[in-house]
Amino acid sequence: MNPAAGTPFARQSNLDMKTGEFIPPDDRRMVYQQANMLWHSDSSFKPVPSLCSLLSARIVPPEGGATEFASTRAAYPSLPEALKARVERAIAVHDFAWSRDQVRSGFFTDEERAVYPPVQHGRRALFLGAHASHVVGLPIDEGRALLKEILAHVTQPRFCYRCILHRATPFDSARHKRLLQRTTISGDPAELPA
Ligand SMILES: [Fe+2]
């Protein structure tokens, strides 16, 4: 797999692809998908992050299971000055394994981790979310605390439904069916900073 490429269609669903029946809650596939309920930007763990994702909802539960969106661009001007000053110097490290570790520690094997080693993005932006593991030059805990503080600020309801970070909302996955089909379009490697 080319780590810089987009993805073929990926199903976000609690239904088994072959049988159409519910996937048991403790199944690895469901644990994997629980990370979709953390605020994130698709594929931010790749060297070339995604340009955009196309999401088509085919089956939706009667309650919960929505997709929320929050704009870090809209939220940035309202950051408290002290936080803004810390953000100025912070570079987040995005790591696919970290977003899954938050749901179940050690979820990915060493071989799986090696496919997507941690990456940094050079463009000036509040580019964070579930894949953002820590901050360059800060102790791991301190960097995570900073990322958590910024994330809490930028995902307040007043910044939602514009663009960028998103997450699924919980639903009763043992009772209600949910099936969404997603594809992600890779960004342009030529636009990476030198
Ligand atoms: Fe997503």
Side-chain angles (χ1 to χ4, degrees), residues 30-50:
M30 290 306 289
V31 176
Y32 178 91
Q33 291 191 75
Q34 278 176 40
N36 290 336
M37 294 180 193
L38 304 172
W39 288 104
H40 63 280
S41 181
D42 288 343
S43 301
S44 72
F45 53 83
K46 293 184 180 178
V48 178
S50 64

Side-chain angles (χ1 to χ4, degrees), residues 5-19:
T7 59
F9 284 109
R11 286 160 57 101
Q12 322 289 326
S13 183
N14 58 331
L15 307 176
D16 185 278
M17 203 177 344
K18 290 204 178 89
T19 66

Side-chain angles (χ1 to χ4, degrees), residues 78-89:
S78 73
L79 281 178
E81 286 306 317
L83 199 50
K84 215 181 264 182
R86 296 184 70 201
V87 163
E88 283 288 320
R89 298 182 299 273

